Amino acid sequence: MNDSVLNRRRFLTLTGGATLAAGLAACTGTGGDTAAAPAGGSGNGSKELRLFTYEDNSTIDLVKAQVKAFDAQNGTTTTVDSLPGSGAAVYPDKLRTELLGGKGPDVWRIWGGQIGAPFVKSKQAMDLSSYYTKFGWDTRLNPAAVQGMTFDGVKGGVPFIVNGIGGWYSQAAFAKAKISAPPKSYAELEDMNAKLVAAGITPLGAGGKYGWHVMRLFEYLLETSAGPELHDKLLTGDESWDRPEVVTAFTTFKKWQDQKWMPAGAVGLDPADVELWYVQGKAAYTITGSWTEAQGIQAGGKKSADFGVFTLPTDHAPDRHSGFVEGYMVNAKAGNPDMAAALIDFIVKPDTQKALKVTSSAVTGAEPDKSTLPLSYEYSQGAGKQPFYTIQDQAFPKKQADQYFAIQSDVLQGKTAPAEAAKKMQDVIKGWKK
């Protein structure tokens, strides 16, 4: 077992506000040298750059505006391409295909953990250590977030987001169902769901297309049934998934569909649409991060005061939530790596982060503005400072995550019984070569 796996285990008990994921620094796989390509000003000095991201359609114009400002300062021309809504199920494969074809972007946005790690391991992403020194990123970024973009000692990415997942809800929906306050226990959450259904309201807006959105529900149910210690060991493959606690989580997962606590046919629904239902009056709440205040509530012309956010109760201490890191990487074959790194440096400046409305920034001085993003500020000062577990599509390598998504989809559709799903998940984890 190497140090990166040990670091990843330590991550699973750290807090989001102070010390994020050493475990996101894990880089697994077999064979080959794990060092990334070195940085250092090589390339052809091109003044043309390409940035690839998965920015939401409601905020992509903010990104383009800031990139345009960078271009004006540096005499560059940067093309911004985005693949919104697909999440970790599609975007990494699209990026990988471009890189293997020799036409990849100069800079790309990516998640930490087992999603970002392969790009560093394969030397498609540049070792940014020299740029950390040049731009002083170590002193400007959350140290634990930096660890979340460090893979086997290689600083392969620059973090700009440290985020946690919670329940974001419509106060109008709660009022209609005569719900006076968010739930404080799992039993209260189920009672709340029943009241919402009785009032003619779909409780949870969740879509199963791509797998990652309904995953947020299952990982919460697993935290509730297994508890923090066992959940962590399941995520690292140190305990078998073929066990009663996992069966319970899958059983409860199916219950949410059967009781109409999530939309009918949720498996086929696009999260890009369904996540906004709580804003549009089609559902009471969703499970998402604080980006939804800018991208969902405010972009939809609504007032933050009409909504709220709560921690999904697990009945365990600590009451953890799901969390993750996002950042930027530089193509090891970038035509102008110095300029690519300069673009990232521009993006991680506090003023740029605020202009981008990043609600969970890893950049010192770019905390949410209480006056403009009150709910994000509230979350950052409360649940955002609590311990969290690794969001599951970062905890697993891409292959295992895809197999897991297929299993949870089959459970919701009644094709696979909960007990069989637990056995299948153990088979998936056995295939993970660490």
Side-chain angles (χ1 to χ4, degrees):
M1 181 181 301
N2 60 32
D3 288 342
S4 67
V5 174
L6 292 173
N7 285 341
R8 188 166 177 279
R9 289 178 179 169
R10 286 196 292 270
F11 154 76
L12 294 165
T13 60
L14 299 179
T15 65
T19 49
L20 189 120
L24 286 180
C27 178
T28 64
T30 59
D33 183 356
T34 59
S42 58
N44 57 26
S46 173
K47 300 292 276 187
E48 294 186 0
L49 298 174
R50 178 169 170 249
L51 170 66
F52 189 34
T53 181
Y54 41 87
E55 195 76 28
D56 186 82
N57 287 333
S58 65
T59 54
I60 187 62
D61 287 342
L62 297 176
V63 175
K64 290 180 177 179
Q66 291 305 305
V67 169
K68 184 177 180 180
F70 170 82
D71 285 341
Q73 293 177 14
N74 294 277
T76 49
T77 300
T78 303
T79 300
V80 179
D81 291 326
S82 187
L83 187 66
S86 63
V90 175
Y91 177 84
D93 284 343
K94 171 66 173 175
L95 172 60
R96 188 173 295 107
T97 298
E98 288 195 12
L99 292 170
L100 291 174
K103 296 183 180 180
D106 297 283
V107 176
W108 63 82
R109 180 176 173 177
I110 197 70
W111 298 269
Q114 295 303 315
I115 300 177
F119 296 100
V120 178
K121 174 181 171 59
S122 64
K123 301 184 182 181
Q124 292 171 318
M126 180 175 288
D127 180 349
L128 300 175
S129 299
S130 66
Y131 293 117
Y132 267 84
T133 300
K134 177 178 179 179
F135 294 110
W137 288 332
D138 278 318
T139 63
R140 295 162 46 196
L141 302 173
N142 181 317
V146 171
Q147 284 298 311
M149 279 290 165
T150 302
F151 309 90
D152 282 351
V154 177
K155 290 178 176 176
V158 181
F160 75 104
I161 282 179
V162 182
N163 222 325
I165 302 298
W168 289 73
Y169 68 94
S170 161
Q171 292 191 20
F174 276 28
K176 182 178 179 181
K178 295 181 171 54
I179 297 167
S180 59
K184 297 298 183 182
S185 68
Y186 180 73
E188 288 184 9
L189 177 59
E190 287 204 345
D191 288 343
M192 182 185 82
N193 285 343
K195 289 179 181 179
L196 288 164
V197 171
I201 303 169
T202 298
L204 173 65
K209 187 177 181 180
Y210 310 120
W212 55 265
H213 201 230
V214 291
M215 171 205 74
R216 295 174 183 169
L217 171 61
F218 178 77
E219 65 183 1
Y220 158 61
L221 297 175
L222 183 60
E223 173 78 2
T224 302
S225 64
E229 183 176 357
L230 177 56
H231 191 179
D232 290 351
K233 290 180 178 179
L234 290 170
L235 294 184
T236 55
D238 290 321
E239 288 287 354
S240 172
W241 284 69
D242 185 9
R243 61 189 314 118
E245 296 87 349
V246 178
V247 176
T248 296
F250 275 122
T251 301
T252 309
F253 189 51
K254 181 63 162 61
K255 178 181 180 180
W256 277 62
Q257 181 74 89
D258 293 344
Q259 295 295 318
K260 299 181 180 180
W261 295 345
M262 52 199 298
V267 168
L269 298 177
D270 192 330
D273 298 324
V274 183
E275 185 167 290
L276 297 178
W277 280 10
Y278 84 102
V279 177
Q280 299 164 353
K282 300 177 182 179
Y285 64 96
T286 194
I287 301 176
T288 191
S290 55
W291 60 83
T292 192
E293 184 170 15
Q295 296 181 4
I297 297 171
Q298 295 181 356
K302 307 292 185 178
K303 297 179 180 179
S304 295
D306 294 330
F307 298 87
V309 57
F310 65 94
T311 299
L312 295 163
T314 65
D315 300 335
H316 293 288
D319 201 0
R320 306 190 307 175
H321 59 275
S322 174
F324 62 93
V325 171
E326 295 179 66
Y328 289 98
M329 291 181 174
V330 173
N331 194 331
K333 297 180 179 180
N336 191 337
D338 287 348
M339 196 58 71
L343 173 59
I344 294 176
D345 184 64
F346 181 85
I347 292 173
V348 298
K349 291 183 182 300
D351 287 347
T352 307
Q353 291 284 286
K354 291 177 181 179
L356 292 172
K357 295 188 177 181
V358 176
T359 53
S360 297
S361 181
V363 179
T364 301
E367 295 78 10
D369 187 330
K370 186 177 181 179
S371 63
T372 58
L373 295 168
L375 296 177
S376 299
Y377 177 81
E378 174 189 336
Y379 188 86
S380 72
Q381 299 302 302
K385 292 185 176 181
Q386 296 303 307
F388 62 88
Y389 50 89
T390 316
I391 197 167
Q392 284 182 347
D393 58 2
Q394 284 195 11
F396 304 135
K398 180 67 167 55
K399 179 180 178 181
Q400 279 67 36
D402 287 345
Q403 292 172 323
Y404 158 61
F405 291 157
I407 292 170
Q408 69 174 13
S409 176
D410 285 346
V411 170
L412 287 182
Q413 295 178 81
K415 296 179 179 178
T416 299
E420 183 63 21
K423 293 180 184 296
K424 287 186 175 183
M425 272 303 301
Q426 180 56 22
D427 290 339
V428 168
I429 298 304
K430 281 183 179 178
W432 180 3
K433 297 179 180 180
K434 292 179 283 184

